[in-house]
Amino acid sequence: MGLKSVSADVLSVSTVRGQHIPMVRTILGDYVPCGFNHGKTLYQKHTGESIFMYYWDARDGDDLSGWWFGEAVGGTECGSSCSRY
């Protein structure tokens, strides 16, 4: 998956593989800022769907630290995560 800034306020999530996977299709699209979580900008899918991209720090352990996609911030249903950025 790729992430690029479309404008100062919009991030676009895309991929070159896996578009046929339902969870991937759910995550793809544009995200706009809607608040903050753990000191980083919180993003919501531009369509208004309850899909969020959020940062979770290491307070619950290094395994959970990083950027996440999910239906709720800090929820148990997460579609993808990235621990490097």
Side-chain angles (χ1 to χ4, degrees):
M1 274 192 239
L3 181 66
K4 73 175 186 175
S5 179
V6 175
S7 72
D9 293 331
V10 179
L11 295 176
S12 184
V13 177
S14 61
T15 187
V16 294
R17 295 184 287 192
Q19 298 93 330
H20 64 283
I21 301 169
M23 180 54 72
V24 172
R25 283 196 313 265
T26 299
I27 291 170
L28 299 178
D30 293 339
Y31 289 76
V32 295
C34 65
F36 293 91
N37 190 65
H38 291 199
K40 306 274 187 185
T41 303
L42 168 65
Y43 297 90
Q44 183 174 12
K45 197 162 183 185
H46 181 65
T47 58
E49 294 174 75
S50 292
I51 305 295
F52 297 92
M53 184 177 79
Y54 61 92
Y55 182 76
W56 199 263
D57 64 22
R59 69 183 71 189
D60 294 321
D62 289 340
D63 290 350
L64 297 176
S65 178
W67 287 93
W68 293 83
F69 289 94
E71 294 179 347
V73 176
T76 57
E77 297 270 333
C78 295
S80 182
S81 67
C82 176
S83 61
R84 292 206 48 199
Y85 300 96

